[in-house]
Structure formats: C-alpha cells, structure tokens
Amino acid sequence: MGNILKEITNSATALAKGFSITFKTMLRPTVTENYPHQPPTFEDRYRGLHVLRRDENGLEKCVACFLCAAACPSNCIYIEAAENTAAHRISAAERYAKVYNIDYNRCIFCGYCVEACPCDAITHGHGFEISAYDTNALIYRKEQLLEPLPASAKK
Amino acid sequence: MAEPIKLSIDGKPVTVPPGTLLIEAAKQVGIEVPSFCYYPGLSLQGACRMCLVAIEKMPKLQTACTTVVTNGMVVHTDTPEVANTRKSMLEFLLTNHPLDCPVCDKGGECELQDAVFRYGAAETRFLEGKLHEEEKKFSNLVYYDRPRCILCFRCIRVCDEGMDVNAYGIGFRAAHSEIIPNRGEQLECEECGMCIDICPVGALTSGTYRYKTRPWEVTYTGTICNHCGDGCRTTLSVRNNVVIRANNRDHSGLNGEFLCVKGRFGWDFVNSERRLKSPLLRKNGKQEEASWEEALTFTVERLKTILAEHGPGAVAVIGSNRTTNEEDYLLQRFARTVLGTNDIDHHRTADFSSLVRALTEAGATDRYATIEDISAAKSLLLIGNDPTHQHPLIAYQIRQAVRQHGARLYIVNSREIKLRRQSSQYLQVKPQGEAEAVRALAGQAPAAQDLCAGGTGALTALADALKKESDTVILFGDEIQGQTVNDLVTCGLTLPGKTRFVALGDYANSRGAADMGLLPDTLPGYQPLSNEKARERMESAWAAKIPAAPGRNIRSIFEGIRAGEIKALLVFGANPVKTFGLDNAALTGLQLLFVAELFRTETAELANVVVPAASFAEKSGTVTNTCGEVQALKRTMRQAGTRSDLEILLALARLFGQRWTYQSPEDVLREIIALVPGYDIPLPSLLVGRAVPTHPEGRPPALERPDLVFSSRDSLFTSGTLSRYSWALNSVDEAKKPYGHAF
C-alpha cells in the first residue's frame, strides 16, 4: 500500500518538476527565429555574400589590385582591370575593376579576400539566400555585388 | 691572365678576377647586397646608397657597387650597422614614394617592394605630406610617374649607353629632381621600352600594359620574336588567350634584357580584330566564309584538275620568311613530291646561298658568326644594311662590343647610318657602291675614283686597318650578293685570326627558309638539285620522286603566270603583290590562287581560297636567325578558327592521299636533324631554350639574277605585313619619320 502512495507522490513531483520548466520557458522571450516569415538576425561578423563598397563620393573603392583573387584558396574571384579616365571615372585611383566576378559555386566564405583587401573594398555582407536551380546563376557579377549608391552621391 | 684576387665576405673566402666589383663578388658566393642604381653592363652611379657594406680598416661604410675588390679585403654585410643603414636608406626612399602598390603596375615585381619586405622600414618617422605630381605621358608607349621615381638613373644610362639614343635627362634639383625627355616635352626616341623594363620601381610604365592586370595573374611563355632576323627571346604574358605584354623576363636567350620596339610592343597584331578567323572561298566572284573542309577540298580538287590537264609545270609555290623551319621543310616536300614541281621560292632578303657556297668552297664552314660572337668581337666590318633599323639586336651587340671592350667598328655604307657614331672608320661610298667597294677591297677590280668621298685613299686606309686586326666579324646586307659574296669571303679569310661572317636577312626565319630549301634549285641544307646523290637521299627518305630539273625562281614564276603557263599558285605567309609591286592584272591568269595568311593582305584579296593561319604565338616549332642559330618557338595561346601552316600542309597532303606520319612539329624536326646537312643539332639544348648554331655546308647553284635578293628595308617601326596591324607600332610619332632617321 505504502508503495503505491510513494509512486503517486514521485510521479507528481516529476510532473511538477518537468512542467515547471515548461511554464517558466513559456514566459521567457523566444529564441527561435520565425524565418522565412520574419527576417533572420545575424552576428555582426557573420560571413555572408560579399559586398563591394563605395567611398563617400559614391566611387567604387576597389582598385583592381587582384590581392583578393591571389588570397582566395578556392580561386573563385575573377577580375579584369581597366584604367580610369577623366570622362569615365569609376574608382578614386588610376585603376578600377571592369569585371569582378565571384563564383559562389566555389566560394567557401573563409574571408581571406576581405582580410587581403588593402582598400576595404570587399566586405562580407549578411546575404545568404543564394540557392539557385542553375549553377551559372551562382557566378555573381560586379553589378550584383556592389553596394547601392549612397543617397549623398545620388544626383 | 692576371693573378686572381682573394678576399672574404661574411667569413666566406672568395676568389675573383682583378677588377671585379664587390657587389659582383658577393653575388658569386650567394650573398645578396641590395642595390637599385647598380645594373650590370651600365656605368656605375652610386646614387641609391643601398649597397653600403662594412669593409675592415675603412672608416665608413662603402658602396659595394663602386668598390673594386683588393687582395685580403675583409667585408661584412651582416653587421647591425649595415642592417640599420639599409633600413634607414629605405625609409629615406619612402619619404616621397607613394604607397600605392595596389594600383601600381610594378606591384608584385618591384625591387623597392622586395627590398622593404626584406630589409624593413615598414614604419616611417616622417610625418610630413608626400610630394605629389601628376603623371606625365612621354609617348603613347611610355608614361612617367614622378612620385614613384627613386632617381636611380638606370633609364638615363640604358638609353644613353645601351641604345645610344640619349632621350632622357635629369631636371630640377634635390627632392624635386625628375626624369625629363631631352628633346622637348615628348619622348623622341627608338621607343624600345628598355627604360620601362629596367626601372626598379613603377615610375616608367608601359602604354600597352598599364593597369591591365597584375604580374602574378598571367602565364609566361618564352618564345622567339617573329619580326626581324635576330631571333630575340621574348616572354609573352598571356591572360585569357590575349597577349598582354612582352619582355625578356628572365634575361635568357641571346638578347639578354634587350628588346626593340617591335619585340616589346609589336606583338599586338596577334590580338588584332582583323585577323582572319575563317577560311574564305571565292563564289561568284566574291570571297565568302567557308568551312575548313570545303576550302581545302576545293583547293585539292582544283589542283588535281590542273595537274591532270597541264602537268606539274603549271603549279608554283611561294613560301614565307616567318613560318617555322618545320613548315618550310614540309612545304618544299609537299611541292617537290606531292605536286611534283620545283617551282618553289620565297622573298630572299639576303644571299645566304652564296655565303654557304663560298665558305664551303674555302673549307671554312666553322666561320659562321653567332650573335654572341658579335658582342665579343674585337673588330667588326659592316658592309651595307642599317642594323639600327633592320637588326636592332645586332646594332645593340655592336654598340656593346665597342663600349664594353673597345672593339673597332669599320663601316662601308652608302648612307649615313647611325652606327657610324661608334665606328673607327666610316667609308661612305656612292649609292649602290658597296659591292664595288668590296670588289676593290678584295683586289678583284680597281675602285672608281668617285666611289667614296675621300677618294680611293680611304679605301686603302680601311684595307690597311683591317689587316692589323684579328678575329674580325664581317656583316653584310643584301647589297653584297652573288659573286661579290665569294670575293668578300676570300678576302676576309686572308685577314689575320679567325674571321667570321654574317649575312643580314630581314625576317624571323629568312635564314631558315633558305636552309630548308624554299628555293627552286636547292634541296634542304643547300644541296643542289643537280647533285644526284643528295636528291636520291631525300627521295629514299620520302619514298617519292623529286623532279631533277631546277624550277622557276620567284621572278620567273610571275613571268610564267603572265604568260599563262602557270595556272595555280600556292602562297604561304607571304604577300608577293605588295613585296614585288605586282599590278592587279599580274595574277588574274591563275585558275587557283591559294593563300594561307593571318590577315586579308593584297595577295589574299585576289585569292580563290584564303585560309586563316596561326601566328607565331599560337604554334610551336623552330626558327633560325640570320646568324644561323636555331631556337624553339613555344605555343602560348590559341586563336579559334586558325590552323598552323603545318596543320594546313598535313591536311592538304592527306587529301592528296599521302600517308605522312608526322604527329607534331617535333616529328618533323627529328627528320630535319637526321636528314638536313648542318642541322644535326642536339634536341635537348634546343628544348631548354638555347640558341643552337648550325654550320650548313653545300654548293648551291649561283644566283640566277640580281633582282632575286633584296631587303624590304624595314624601319624600327615596320615589319612587312605584320606591322600594319599593330596598334603600338603605328601609334608612335617616330614611326612617321623618314626611313633611316637616327635618334
């Protein structure tokens, strides 16, 4: 008889203990993100899709020094350089990147390119939604990587 | 020989010949002494102070680049004092040098960058702003960025001492000093670009390469320049099948660091938009694009019809001065055995045949001079030609011989060529008087009184001076041909020492074309067709008959076409319409004109069939320079739609039902080595990039008529058809100067 009573008490205690966590957590703020219904949040240093930066005048920071391509362990950066002219000025220095492609089929998001960049032109953004049905669509061109013109530089 | 000098550098014993500079002695034992202004072969400057080293018993640090070694010298390059000095020197150099390495063209191959990386000065104590000045455009090919310049004066010296152009000087003073063109605001020079290559930093940059790429992004392939007959080694930088730059990156080959404007900038015809990319077939009077199969089948069908109707005498072949030895060899085999005609010739630019015959008859086939012999010669005799324009490397080597070890240069010429500045005796003869002067020198015929400006006395003085010299190298142009070559060789061989000879031909493989028998009366290796043994030897190797009667030379070919005797003409890599000034009607009698070319030339425009050929950058093989040195071309890139002349010939032979077994140019080369007299060259030497001299021996028939051998007299900025499609060569103002202009 005593055994049955003891069993009931034990079960009740276990239930109470378990549910106490459940009820406590119900009152706490949730950590689960409601992606894709709500935008995800990132740590600042998250290494997502690259962004090619512009300076305060809206000129591209990249001077096509090729150091990112040299640092890249998966060889996914392809650049063609060209010379700025007075009439056609793209970057602040003498040279700019006429073509700047990153092949996201190969990119491993290691961040070496960002590390190597002497002009802080290439940075990691927080983009990550790059899945595609066609691998060709994963080769991003400069136009896709460039940050939009700042409002101050817009005419 | 004087006693060698013994000294010690960082505790290592060194033994060097007297007169050696300390910096060179250190190099011998693998000790690097950094320097910017020092450059081997140029005069000493002592401007950069980077090479300071400690020498025991000397109170201050000494510049290793100007100190001559002495016996018992004890040198230290690894003391803290030396290390500190190097660091400070670099800090000084960087006071005004901008840190724009990411943009600078030199970044990655910059001597200053390397030195800072190795010897320090990453931190600077100078807080003042750097002097800035705008970049200057010296010419379309040379740009100067003053702030990057470290004032080593290498450019000034190489232009003055190496090129004898003296285009640069130094302007302003102290921190404001800068390199300025000596003649006005613009550079007026030979545009060789040596200054760009020799610049240790990115101060002088190339108009064709600037801001295009970075040095580690391109593939480098060493090959041989396709312009003049000197055979300079050039390294092509290629990215995405586009040539971006040419320089002799590793200073290998017979030209060292030297390249002229054509070698350094004149390759851009390869990338030209106007290159032929598809065969053209004439249909209803108009050339239309066709497939390779269609074009070649049409050619072979038409050839077969003509051969059947009119016999082999109705077909003639014109070869090229630029295609490889292998292609030339196969072309003459194709003509002689498949078409059955000896009517094969090319534009001869020097009388190589007569030189070979004369040397063979004199039993002196070891007397062909090499490019190296020219720079090492103690005495040089130059008859005719203008090497500054037609043979920039040979002109450079002649200047080196004169400047570096006091060689005497004797010139016989009807024009005031630039090299007369270096000459000990310059004999100006009346126009076309070179041959007469040679005959007079050889004692064959007395000279006319009006032959040279100073009367016949000057001629006698030249002859007397030459008799006192030894080991003379004799160079002659197209002015000397036929029997006169014989006279010159006979006379030259009587001079003291080991006299050597060079015939100066125009183009990259002018010599090879003659060596490989692109001649109507001569088999490969200068064996006359009339020599039954030689003919049988080739016949058994090729398992085919060679017609015994000599064919028509190039002039007779044109006459034959006019007379209607020749119905088909095959032209490989030549533009006879332009070269020989033919009028439009000259080739209209042909039933078939087949042209393999890079561009739609005047000849190609008249053709029934035009096929796009590969350029020198797109094929392998060997070429022979004007001195007879064989060098290997290396394929650097591909051009869609084109085929090399070798592939074209193999395809034609296949369509004729021939079973040729060649798989590659190397297979042909092996056959050349085995069969062609004088070409038994060691293959390994060739493949590691050496220039292998040949010693052809043979008795080819005498020159039939004098108008067969003539030079195109190309200037520094022209190179037959190719230069017309080069942006760089046409972009410089100097190209518009009259021929023979000396800078």
Side-chain angles (χ1 to χ4, degrees), chain B residues 394-412:
Chain B
I394 287 180
Y396 181 78
Q397 300 290 35
I398 291 175
R399 287 193 298 270
Q400 291 299 304
V402 173
R403 199 180 79 82
Q404 304 281 18
H405 42 259
R408 270 86 47 205
L409 171 65
Y410 303 95
I411 296 179
V412 178

Side-chain angles (χ1 to χ4, degrees), chain B residues 610-632:
Chain B
V610 186
V611 291
S615 76
F616 78 108
E618 294 139 22
K619 62 187 175 192
S620 358
T622 60
V623 287
T624 310
N625 74 2
T626 194
C627 296
E629 291 165 280
V630 183
Q631 298 183 93

